[in-house]
Amino acid sequence: MSNIQAAIGCAQLDKINFFLKNKKKIFINYNIKFKNNKFYEILDPSKNVKSNYWLNILKTNKNNSFKIFKLLQSKKIESRLLWYPMHLLKPFKKFQKYNIKQAIENYKSHLCLPSSINLKSHEIDRIVNTICQNDKK
């Protein structure tokens, strides 16, 4: 590690409480906006850990994460599909695997939402409104 990299790391650590506070605010904002929605929910962190709220994952009840991903993309909103199940990747298909149905279901029904510490409330509103308009079609 170079001195410059170390200095950047130390500067980031000085701001860790600011980052964690903003990340939690983003999570709470998403959670409130999807709270009474029958199609979507934000995954809560485990109760037995202190979360850093680094990633906000939307769970859909329609297995339509790819459709929502494409909709957000068309509105220039960056999101990410959940990680593709490794046992389905070509290099790993020949290896032993267990009955992993839940991994496939999660991939089809979960989406990683924008979670930058610079995300503003009005931007979260736009993201949520874009997602929810998907159900009006």
Side-chain angles (χ1 to χ4, degrees):
M1 176 184 312
S2 72
N3 288 345
I4 292 174
Q5 291 168 321
I8 291 170
C10 287
Q12 293 292 297
L13 283 174
D14 286 343
K15 297 179 180 180
I16 190 74
N17 290 328
F18 168 79
F19 293 150
L20 293 174
K21 181 179 162 194
N22 278 5
K23 290 300 226 172
K24 188 170 184 177
K25 278 183 5 185
I26 292 166
F27 166 78
I28 290 169
N29 204 341
Y30 274 129
N31 219 4
I32 288 169
K33 299 204 183 305
F34 284 113
K35 190 169 187 81
N36 296 316
N37 190 300
K38 63 183 177 180
F39 301 113
Y40 309 108
E41 70 176 285
I42 298 295
L43 294 186
D44 286 323
S46 179
K47 301 290 184 224
N48 60 346
V49 299
K50 183 176 180 183
S51 178
N52 62 13
Y53 301 99
W54 214 253
L55 188 61
N56 292 290
I57 300 178
L58 179 73
K59 179 181 179 186
T60 75
N61 67 359
K62 293 182 174 184
N63 285 348
N64 62 345
S65 62
F66 188 74
K67 182 179 175 185
I68 296 168
F69 170 75
K70 286 302 207 180
L71 173 67
L72 291 171
Q73 195 175 45
S74 75
K75 303 288 184 182
K76 308 264 190 266
I77 298 171
E78 190 171 330
S79 65
R80 295 276 185 252
L81 295 168
L82 206 60
W83 296 267
Y84 192 71
M86 288 190 67
H87 70 285
L88 299 177
L89 294 173
K90 190 175 181 179
F92 303 111
K93 283 192 176 202
K94 63 183 175 184
F95 295 106
Q96 179 183 0
K97 58 186 166 278
Y98 296 95
N99 188 5
I100 317 174
K101 292 179 191 170
Q102 192 62 45
I104 298 165
E105 289 299 312
N106 286 346
Y107 178 74
K108 292 178 181 177
S109 63
H110 292 69
L111 184 72
C112 302
L113 296 177
S115 299
S116 166
I117 60 161
N118 299 320
L119 202 59
K120 306 290 184 235
S121 185
H122 71 275
E123 293 170 318
I124 294 174
D125 289 342
R126 180 172 174 253
I127 294 162
V128 171
N129 290 339
T130 301
I131 292 169
C132 289
Q133 79 178 196
N134 178 55
D135 297 309
K136 296 176 184 167
K137 294 178 181 178

